Amino acid sequence: MGKVYAGYDENGKLIRKNIYGKDRKEVADKIRKFQNQEEAQPGVFKKQLVSDFITEWLFNVNKINLKQSSFDRNESTMRNQIIPRVGKHPIAKLDAMMIQNDVINKMMGEGYSHSSVKKAHDLLNQCLRYATRNRKIPFNPMEAVIMPSKDKFEKKEIVYYTEEERDMIAAIAEFRFGNGKPLYHYGPMLTFMLYTGIRPGEACALKWDCIDWEKREMVVRRNAVVVKNRDKDGDDDSNYVLIVQESTKNGKQRTIHLSDTALRALKVLKTNLKQYNSEFVMTTKNGEPVRPRHFRNVLDAVLKRAGLKEGGLHSMRHTFATILFSKGVSVKVVSELLGHSSVQVTQDIYIHVIPEDKVDAIKLLDAANSLNDEPKAEAASLDVNQIMDLLKPLNSKQVQKMMKTLDFLRNVDVDDLDDGDDADDLDEAYEVEDDD
């Protein structure tokens, strides 16, 4: 059985037509014949709406060579940006001025980012180029549409933390009560991200087979993404699933040397979750990878206890990069560690913090880390008294606030505190984050 997508009905619901045959070839032939018959009817294409054509193109052509996560983004762009703005026009009457005013300029005026506007621009361009090549329309109106440059958009500020704040986050994330129970089971992964710069999706997809303890290295080769479950209708959280892709965002694997702090955090995490015996570094009780939304809940709780501004999981990655830049690490080295597709991507994101000097990236992190002064046990973690002793020499309002929190935790009964992130208790939830 095959499916043909033929636009939306009057209620906005996707129209699906099932095509049956005894084998794949027969189904493919019937689909082609169906499409040709639709197009051969006199005046049909001239009257066909943009909404119908782009939907059919998206599901039957564009989808073929895309990862599911990329297709989900394209469908979202089509439904939320293109169809509401120009979907009601017959495709034969769509011109450059309509697109420029109703899509590009309006999105800019509504405060959309350069990335969002460009996604709409590029998707519409691909669709209309296909229509032109198949002689559906005489020319592609997108050739006359101007895509504004990045400097015309308000740049969104990235969230990152100082070295002192980084140490506060790591201390709270790895806190253990007197009986050895961790306050946050997944907390050490925040420390690991702060000292490796891996993406949230890469952290959730990380498996133990990627860690070489002897060489002190990690190979980043997978990425976890939340995608739409195409077997279900609707857009609620239950209709999305987490999948692990056997490639990174840019398709290239990279090797990262692990600092003492990163290795310690990894060992503590292994201890925290050893009862689940999973191939994933960060796992649920069922041995499945943890969703980014669950992990984000841990970060939110840690930042709240530390009295720090809110930041998404990417703020751990941004902190890693900005601290390296502050130590004089070259843009090229940081770009390679982050796994960016090009040095230009790194420069665009961190232009305000990039110095020129070049130094060793990873060793600088350990040298600056005030938590690394004490010898480490195989899977040791800092108790509250050690943390307070380490923070006493520091002088800031935030540290003082954290000292009060830790003083409270030192005297609290573990059974009276709801940590909210236990691997047994975390509920399923959906979140898609832009991943640079």
Side-chain angles (χ1 to χ4, degrees), residues 9 21 50 72 96 116 129-130 172 194 213 223 270 308 394:
D9 61 21
V50 172
D72 285 350
S116 296
R129 189 166 59 217
Y130 175 83
I172 296 177
L194 285 166
W213 298 98
N223 188 44
K270 192 176 184 70
L308 298 175
L394 303 177

Side-chain angles (χ1 to χ4, degrees), residues 237-298:
D237 289 352
S238 64
N239 289 331
Y240 291 83
V241 294
L242 182 75
I243 62 171
V244 175
Q245 299 172 334
E246 291 297 321
S247 64
T248 61
K249 185 186 177 186
N250 63 10
K252 298 178 182 178
Q253 72 175 35
R254 65 190 188 279
T255 300
I256 299 176
H257 179 74
L258 299 178
S259 66
D260 290 342
T261 308
L263 280 170
R264 175 178 58 76
L266 207 55
K267 290 172 183 177
V268 175
L269 191 62
K270 192 176 184 70
T271 299
N272 289 355
L273 304 174
K274 64 182 178 181
Q275 67 269 34
Y276 302 129
N277 193 29
S278 172
E279 62 181 335
F280 291 98
V281 173
M282 217 167 36
T283 177
T284 66
K285 64 180 180 180
N286 297 322
E288 299 296 322
V290 175
R291 288 195 178 197
R293 177 65 174 273
H294 294 166
F295 191 31
R296 170 66 187 269
N297 292 341
V298 179

Side-chain angles (χ1 to χ4, degrees), residues 33-169:
K33 183 177 180 182
F34 172 83
Q35 292 171 336
N36 291 336
Q37 285 175 342
E38 290 284 299
E39 294 165 5
Q41 295 178 42
V44 165
F45 191 78
K46 288 185 178 180
K47 294 179 180 178
Q48 189 173 22
L49 301 182
V50 172
S51 59
D52 295 334
F53 182 78
I54 194 172
T55 301
E56 185 176 357
W57 167 80
L58 189 80
F59 280 87
N60 297 327
V61 180
N62 181 248
K63 183 179 181 180
I64 295 173
N65 291 321
L66 293 180
K67 290 181 180 179
Q68 192 170 342
S69 55
S70 299
F71 178 72
D72 285 350
R73 282 194 293 272
N74 282 358
E75 186 190 16
S76 176
T77 297
M78 177 190 75
R79 284 191 176 189
N80 298 320
Q81 307 304 339
I82 295 175
I83 289 179
R85 299 174 193 279
V86 293
K88 63 182 179 181
H89 299 294
I91 192 169
K93 293 184 178 180
L94 189 65
D95 61 33
M97 191 60 73
M98 287 181 188
I99 299 169
Q100 188 75 58
N101 289 334
D102 296 343
V103 180
I104 307 301
N105 296 352
K106 277 193 176 180
M107 287 185 71
M108 278 190 71
E110 292 169 9
Y112 284 91
S113 67
H114 175 270
S115 175
S116 296
V117 177
K118 193 171 189 308
K119 283 184 176 71
H121 173 280
D122 292 352
L123 189 65
L124 201 48
N125 186 32
Q126 290 177 53
C127 176
L128 295 178
R129 189 166 59 217
Y130 175 83
T132 305
R133 288 175 177 173
N134 284 275
R135 294 181 171 83
K136 306 297 184 185
I137 52 178
F139 64 91
N140 181 3
M142 290 300 297
E143 292 178 8
V145 173
I146 304 300
M147 176 62 210
S149 60
K150 281 187 177 181
D151 59 10
K152 300 297 181 183
F153 294 80
E154 184 177 350
K155 188 169 178 61
K156 184 180 179 181
E157 289 189 15
I158 62 172
V159 177
Y160 61 93
Y161 302 97
T162 65
E163 291 180 58
E164 180 182 300
E165 291 169 337
R166 174 199 63 185
D167 292 349
M168 291 170 62
I169 293 169

Side-chain angles (χ1 to χ4, degrees), residues 48 75 133 207 240 293 302 305 332 347 353:
Q48 189 173 22
E75 186 190 16
R133 288 175 177 173
K207 295 183 179 180
Y240 291 83
R293 177 65 174 273
V302 169
R305 288 186 188 278
K332 184 176 185 298
Q347 289 176 331
V353 295

